[in-house]
Amino acid sequence: MRELIELLRDGHARTTKLLAIELQTSEEDVKRQIEYLTNIGVIKKVDMSCGCGGSCGTSGGCGSCSGASGSGSCNSCSSCLPDGGFKNMGEMYEVV
């Protein structure tokens, strides 16, 4: 699990398949480790649902969101959003 935490700590987005390859284990094992580490509070899922990366009041953020209002919802964040948005990135986790 230490290796998984170190990989998550670098801030690069990876799928569970990529994590499994880097850790030389199965995807199922990576998913179990992520679930365990989330449950004990070592890591947390990054909320990228609004698309601004958190500059509107969620976690993270680029700080340049023109739609940031602190209300927790951001609808005009195209400067932060990659083409196609974040919907295809999968789940991301960060070390607490």
Side-chain angles (χ1 to χ4, degrees), residues 3-81:
E3 295 88 4
L4 175 60
I5 293 169
E6 290 303 314
L7 286 174
L8 296 174
R9 206 170 264 165
D10 74 9
H12 292 103
R14 295 176 179 89
T15 62
T16 53
K17 186 173 186 170
L18 255 174
L19 287 167
I21 291 168
E22 290 187 53
L23 296 171
Q24 299 176 352
T25 189
S26 68
E27 265 188 272
E28 292 77 22
D29 185 44
V30 170
K31 289 176 183 178
R32 279 192 296 272
Q33 289 182 48
I34 287 173
E35 182 180 358
Y36 176 76
L37 291 170
T38 302
N39 287 338
I40 64 171
V42 173
I43 63 174
K44 68 178 183 176
K45 187 175 177 179
V46 177
D47 180 12
M48 300 296 281
S49 59
C50 75
C52 77
S55 58
C56 66
T58 59
S59 66
C62 69
S64 66
C65 175
S66 61
S69 62
S71 65
S73 64
C74 176
N75 297 320
S76 59
C77 211
S78 60
S79 65
C80 305
L81 214 59

